[in-house]
Amino acid sequence: MTPQSPRKPNHDQPPRKPRLGPRPQPVSSPGTVACSGCQRRFVKSRFDAALRVCPACNHHNRLPALMRVRNILDAESYAPLPTPAGERDPLSFDDGMPYRTRLEHERTSKQVDEVFHAATGTINGIPAAVAAMEFSFFGGSLGEAAGLQFLTVCKAAVQRGLPLVCFCSSGGARMQEGLVSLMQMARCTAAVSLLADASLPYMTILCDPCFGGVSASFAAQADIILAEPHARIGFAGGRVIEQASHGKLPAGFQTAEFILEHGMVDMICERKEIKSVVATLLGALEQEGHARSS
Amino acid sequence: MPEAADPASVTAREAQAFARVTLARHPDRPRALRLIELLFSDWTELHGDRLFADDRAVVGGPARLGNRWVMVIGQEKGTDARTRVIHNFGMPHPEGYRKAKRLMLLAQKFGLPLICLVDTPAAHAGVEAEERGQAWAIADSMLTMFGLKVPTISVIVSEGGSGGALALAVADSVLALENAIYTVAPPETCAAILYRDANQKARAALSLRPEVATARALGVVDELVPEPSPGAHAHPLVVAAALKGALVRHLCDLEAQPRDLLLEARWERYEDPAPGSIPPGSPSA
């Protein structure tokens, strides 16, 4: 790490206000996308090449799980880690639209099976397992399948003696699975303790947004916790708190900068710097290599 | 798809489902401090998280169950206007969970089994709770409890809501009083999330199946402690006696196991913590 590291968080711009209404829909033209921070439009391929960090306002737009995983791993080293998703609807939940129908619709429209995408590979030469949560799928919510996926990743990491890096982004529990969803917090806790028992480093990167049952379980249980700039992070949602406390929320409430100030994360890390920071820290934690098996 | 739902019957079923929530929240149900008084002797309350404050929504300390010393941690809702405010309606702040963690580690250090009495609508949602890391406190409490090298029992006394309840319920044995509820979030919050309208709490209650019989069917709760009709609020002594019997029985079973087998069984339990399911069309109430 150089002292003049550009990964210093950009505090110049005001944190983005939580968006309560529907996403504004600017006039679109083919092949371009809008930054959800400043609404400026960019050519999609170039925007993706910049990892969807806005060149104009530095807003870190949401990134699909697959892109997060591929980006942190060295090219050629990426090997997908199968994480079977399962098909259960434990409560036979139906409040107008059956949960199964909703799930099928999400799977078809979002082109992913479940919340997690995982792979193994190397990060600047350091072998690691990487998992990322797809917020666009059911709000990244932690249901039974996602809990099983996380457990599967942890088991694979332990079996192969790999550290785990997990990008967390979720609205929290999946309400349609009720208590089964809540219990995934315990399941993921058990999974994290597997990594700890094997003395394998476990790092999380909290991405916008990260709340509820995810922030209150495996996201917060890591050895080292990073956060992306301006990501909204907390336990209860801002709207719930505003209603419950009948008061105005402080400026920048529940942003990455806010929780850094309150001592809850190790650092804020610009997206383009995450790979080198993670590699450096994994290198530090694995200096002794005592956990490595082959 | 079932036959087109008759709106009147749906409303009636929703009302019935929410009545269970109301029963679990009955103001006269025995609270943690009352149960501690009925179940244990020599209870000595210990205060504070050694970091920030003493959160009165969580009470804890050593006590004797029969002649066995145990560590007791409970979520206390309060019993009247004054004590409800003191105990914040049973909604802990981060310091409550950090006090719980401290007492768990104290129990482990001196080999005391842990008994948790869970009774909270949810963890406190507020600015200060977020500033002091509510998510981190809950996550840490769960991780500590999961790794504890002493037998652990949790009882869902009345209301087990959200991670705020689970933070004290990652136990070897989980019991529940028959009329308690155990939910991913209070029905009001679920409705706010699912329908963007907290007033549809009855609709949420019908779909979420909050009654602990569901938790039992899912495999989350091991045993339901019966409550004579109309419920524990009318028969606190009878219910406390039944709960005490169940606690002693489960504690004996857990203490009889070698510690490594205990921890292995705990791992197996939480590897798949809710394997059961509720068949479609089964009535909620």
Side-chain angles (χ1 to χ4, degrees), chain A residues 20 31 55 68 70 97 132 155 163 194 214 220 247 249 253 262-263 278 280 286 288:
Chain A
L20 297 183
R68 289 194 187 278
R70 290 210 85 124
M97 190 200 267
K155 281 181 172 174
L194 269 188
V214 169
L249 303 177
F253 183 59
H262 285 91
V278 167
T280 304
E286 294 200 303
E288 299 299 326

mmCIF file of all heavy atoms in Angstrom, chain A residues 20 31 55 68 70 97 132 155 163 194 214 220 247 249 253 262-263 278 280 286 288:
data_model
loop_
_atom_site.group_PDB
_atom_site.id
_atom_site.type_symbol
_atom_site.label_atom_id
_atom_site.label_comp_id
_atom_site.label_asym_id
_atom_site.label_seq_id
_atom_site.Cartn_x
_atom_site.Cartn_y
_atom_site.Cartn_z
ATOM 1 N N LEU A 20 -36.658 7.082 -2.026
ATOM 2 C CA LEU A 20 -37.841 6.420 -1.477
ATOM 3 C C LEU A 20 -38.841 6.067 -2.573
ATOM 4 O O LEU A 20 -39.523 5.068 -2.500
ATOM 5 C CB LEU A 20 -38.507 7.297 -0.415
ATOM 6 C CG LEU A 20 -37.632 7.563 0.799
ATOM 7 C CD1 LEU A 20 -38.385 8.373 1.835
ATOM 8 C CD2 LEU A 20 -37.141 6.266 1.433
ATOM 9 N N GLY A 31 -28.034 1.554 -26.196
ATOM 10 C CA GLY A 31 -26.605 1.407 -25.952
ATOM 11 C C GLY A 31 -26.059 2.339 -24.898
ATOM 12 O O GLY A 31 -24.864 2.356 -24.641
ATOM 13 N N PRO A 55 -18.037 8.409 -14.143
ATOM 14 C CA PRO A 55 -16.860 9.259 -14.366
ATOM 15 C C PRO A 55 -17.144 10.706 -13.983
ATOM 16 O O PRO A 55 -16.214 11.458 -13.686
ATOM 17 C CB PRO A 55 -16.603 9.151 -15.866
ATOM 18 C CG PRO A 55 -17.563 8.168 -16.410
ATOM 19 C CD PRO A 55 -18.613 7.897 -15.383
ATOM 20 N N ARG A 68 -18.880 -8.386 -10.145
ATOM 21 C CA ARG A 68 -18.057 -8.174 -8.944
ATOM 22 C C ARG A 68 -17.044 -9.309 -8.797
ATOM 23 O O ARG A 68 -15.869 -9.088 -8.513
ATOM 24 C CB ARG A 68 -18.936 -8.132 -7.697
ATOM 25 C CG ARG A 68 -19.798 -6.893 -7.584
ATOM 26 C CD ARG A 68 -20.366 -6.788 -6.172
ATOM 27 N NE ARG A 68 -21.335 -5.723 -6.050
ATOM 28 C CZ ARG A 68 -21.021 -4.436 -5.859
ATOM 29 N NH1 ARG A 68 -19.754 -4.072 -5.762
ATOM 30 N NH2 ARG A 68 -21.961 -3.522 -5.751
ATOM 31 N N ARG A 70 -15.991 -11.534 -11.101
ATOM 32 C CA ARG A 70 -15.020 -11.606 -12.197
ATOM 33 C C ARG A 70 -13.981 -10.510 -12.059
ATOM 34 O O ARG A 70 -12.808 -10.705 -12.352
ATOM 35 C CB ARG A 70 -15.730 -11.476 -13.543
ATOM 36 C CG ARG A 70 -16.569 -12.681 -13.886
ATOM 37 C CD ARG A 70 -16.638 -12.861 -15.379
ATOM 38 N NE ARG A 70 -15.479 -13.602 -15.840
ATOM 39 C CZ ARG A 70 -15.558 -14.726 -16.546
ATOM 40 N NH1 ARG A 70 -16.716 -15.224 -16.892
ATOM 41 N NH2 ARG A 70 -14.465 -15.341 -16.927
ATOM 42 N N MET A 97 -50.185 -13.459 -4.839
ATOM 43 C CA MET A 97 -49.345 -14.145 -5.816
ATOM 44 C C MET A 97 -48.526 -15.200 -5.081
ATOM 45 O O MET A 97 -47.830 -14.886 -4.121
ATOM 46 C CB MET A 97 -48.390 -13.167 -6.526
ATOM 47 C CG MET A 97 -47.682 -13.819 -7.710
ATOM 48 S SD MET A 97 -46.179 -12.959 -8.194
ATOM 49 C CE MET A 97 -46.814 -11.881 -9.449
ATOM 50 N N ALA A 132 -20.592 -13.111 -4.202
ATOM 51 C CA ALA A 132 -21.222 -11.794 -4.284
ATOM 52 C C ALA A 132 -22.728 -11.976 -4.349
ATOM 53 O O ALA A 132 -23.228 -12.982 -4.861
ATOM 54 C CB ALA A 132 -20.724 -11.024 -5.501
ATOM 55 N N LYS A 155 -18.095 -23.965 3.131
ATOM 56 C CA LYS A 155 -17.574 -25.331 3.196
ATOM 57 C C LYS A 155 -16.505 -25.559 2.134
ATOM 58 O O LYS A 155 -15.468 -26.175 2.406
ATOM 59 C CB LYS A 155 -18.711 -26.339 2.989
ATOM 60 C CG LYS A 155 -19.578 -26.568 4.209
ATOM 61 C CD LYS A 155 -20.643 -27.606 3.877
ATOM 62 C CE LYS A 155 -21.419 -28.015 5.106
ATOM 63 N NZ LYS A 155 -22.545 -28.906 4.754
ATOM 64 N N PRO A 163 -9.155 -18.425 1.773
ATOM 65 C CA PRO A 163 -9.862 -17.328 2.435
ATOM 66 C C PRO A 163 -11.126 -17.003 1.655
ATOM 67 O O PRO A 163 -11.215 -17.338 0.469
ATOM 68 C CB PRO A 163 -8.876 -16.161 2.364
ATOM 69 C CG PRO A 163 -8.003 -16.468 1.192
ATOM 70 C CD PRO A 163 -7.927 -17.970 1.097
ATOM 71 N N LEU A 194 -17.252 -21.867 10.787
ATOM 72 C CA LEU A 194 -16.408 -22.876 10.116
ATOM 73 C C LEU A 194 -15.098 -22.249 9.644
ATOM 74 O O LEU A 194 -14.019 -22.825 9.808
ATOM 75 C CB LEU A 194 -17.118 -23.400 8.865
ATOM 76 C CG LEU A 194 -18.022 -24.616 8.912
ATOM 77 C CD1 LEU A 194 -18.403 -25.000 7.487
ATOM 78 C CD2 LEU A 194 -17.360 -25.768 9.620
ATOM 79 N N VAL A 214 -28.917 -9.636 6.775
ATOM 80 C CA VAL A 214 -27.584 -9.839 6.199
ATOM 81 C C VAL A 214 -26.561 -9.000 6.945
ATOM 82 O O VAL A 214 -25.519 -9.502 7.377
ATOM 83 C CB VAL A 214 -27.575 -9.520 4.685
ATOM 84 C CG1 VAL A 214 -26.156 -9.465 4.147
ATOM 85 C CG2 VAL A 214 -28.391 -10.578 3.948
ATOM 86 N N ALA A 220 -21.503 -8.717 9.055
ATOM 87 C CA ALA A 220 -20.846 -8.053 10.190
ATOM 88 C C ALA A 220 -19.907 -8.989 10.948
ATOM 89 O O ALA A 220 -19.252 -8.572 11.888
ATOM 90 C CB ALA A 220 -21.903 -7.490 11.146
ATOM 91 N N GLY A 247 -38.754 11.492 14.132
ATOM 92 C CA GLY A 247 -37.811 12.593 14.048
ATOM 93 C C GLY A 247 -37.080 12.590 12.731
ATOM 94 O O GLY A 247 -37.177 11.648 11.954
ATOM 95 N N LEU A 249 -33.788 12.336 10.433
ATOM 96 C CA LEU A 249 -32.559 11.569 10.546
ATOM 97 C C LEU A 249 -31.366 12.497 10.346
ATOM 98 O O LEU A 249 -31.436 13.456 9.593
ATOM 99 C CB LEU A 249 -32.565 10.467 9.479
ATOM 100 C CG LEU A 249 -33.784 9.538 9.555
ATOM 101 C CD1 LEU A 249 -33.753 8.528 8.421
ATOM 102 C CD2 LEU A 249 -33.842 8.830 10.898
ATOM 103 N N PHE A 253 -27.021 9.831 7.482
ATOM 104 C CA PHE A 253 -27.375 8.677 8.319
ATOM 105 C C PHE A 253 -27.301 7.378 7.516
ATOM 106 O O PHE A 253 -27.783 7.303 6.396
ATOM 107 C CB PHE A 253 -28.805 8.899 8.835
ATOM 108 C CG PHE A 253 -29.307 7.835 9.767
ATOM 109 C CD1 PHE A 253 -28.652 7.556 10.950
ATOM 110 C CD2 PHE A 253 -30.452 7.106 9.451
ATOM 111 C CE1 PHE A 253 -29.123 6.586 11.819
ATOM 112 C CE2 PHE A 253 -30.935 6.134 10.317
ATOM 113 C CZ PHE A 253 -30.264 5.873 11.504
ATOM 114 N N HIS A 262 -18.596 5.858 12.990
ATOM 115 C CA HIS A 262 -19.015 5.241 14.241
ATOM 116 C C HIS A 262 -18.265 3.946 14.545
ATOM 117 O O HIS A 262 -18.644 3.203 15.458
ATOM 118 C CB HIS A 262 -20.532 5.021 14.230
ATOM 119 C CG HIS A 262 -21.282 6.307 14.432
ATOM 120 N ND1 HIS A 262 -21.696 7.099 13.393
ATOM 121 C CD2 HIS A 262 -21.635 6.963 15.558
ATOM 122 C CE1 HIS A 262 -22.286 8.172 13.869
ATOM 123 N NE2 HIS A 262 -22.269 8.122 15.176
ATOM 124 N N GLY A 263 -17.263 3.667 13.761
ATOM 125 C CA GLY A 263 -16.359 2.573 14.118
ATOM 126 C C GLY A 263 -16.809 1.188 13.727
ATOM 127 O O GLY A 263 -16.332 0.200 14.297
ATOM 128 N N VAL A 278 -7.860 -5.779 -0.954
ATOM 129 C CA VAL A 278 -8.156 -7.130 -0.481
ATOM 130 C C VAL A 278 -6.912 -8.003 -0.579
ATOM 131 O O VAL A 278 -6.566 -8.731 0.359
ATOM 132 C CB VAL A 278 -9.332 -7.743 -1.289
ATOM 133 C CG1 VAL A 278 -9.441 -9.238 -1.035
ATOM 134 C CG2 VAL A 278 -10.640 -7.051 -0.909
ATOM 135 N N THR A 280 -3.789 -7.100 -0.540
ATOM 136 C CA THR A 280 -2.818 -6.693 0.480
ATOM 137 C C THR A 280 -3.182 -7.253 1.848
ATOM 138 O O THR A 280 -2.338 -7.820 2.558
ATOM 139 C CB THR A 280 -2.772 -5.149 0.579
ATOM 140 O OG1 THR A 280 -2.476 -4.635 -0.719
ATOM 141 C CG2 THR A 280 -1.709 -4.691 1.551
ATOM 142 N N GLU A 286 -2.427 -13.872 5.933
ATOM 143 C CA GLU A 286 -1.984 -15.235 5.638
ATOM 144 C C GLU A 286 -0.471 -15.354 5.639
ATOM 145 O O GLU A 286 0.073 -16.330 5.125
ATOM 146 C CB GLU A 286 -2.528 -15.665 4.271
ATOM 147 C CG GLU A 286 -4.029 -15.767 4.279
ATOM 148 C CD GLU A 286 -4.538 -16.633 3.136
ATOM 149 O OE1 GLU A 286 -4.228 -16.324 1.984
ATOM 150 O OE2 GLU A 286 -5.212 -17.614 3.435
ATOM 151 N N GLU A 288 1.616 -16.191 7.803
ATOM 152 C CA GLU A 288 2.137 -17.434 8.382
ATOM 153 C C GLU A 288 1.716 -18.647 7.579
ATOM 154 O O GLU A 288 2.306 -19.704 7.696
ATOM 155 C CB GLU A 288 1.647 -17.585 9.828
ATOM 156 C CG GLU A 288 2.100 -16.473 10.751
ATOM 157 C CD GLU A 288 3.612 -16.395 10.865
ATOM 158 O OE1 GLU A 288 4.242 -17.457 10.810
ATOM 159 O OE2 GLU A 288 4.134 -15.275 10.990
#
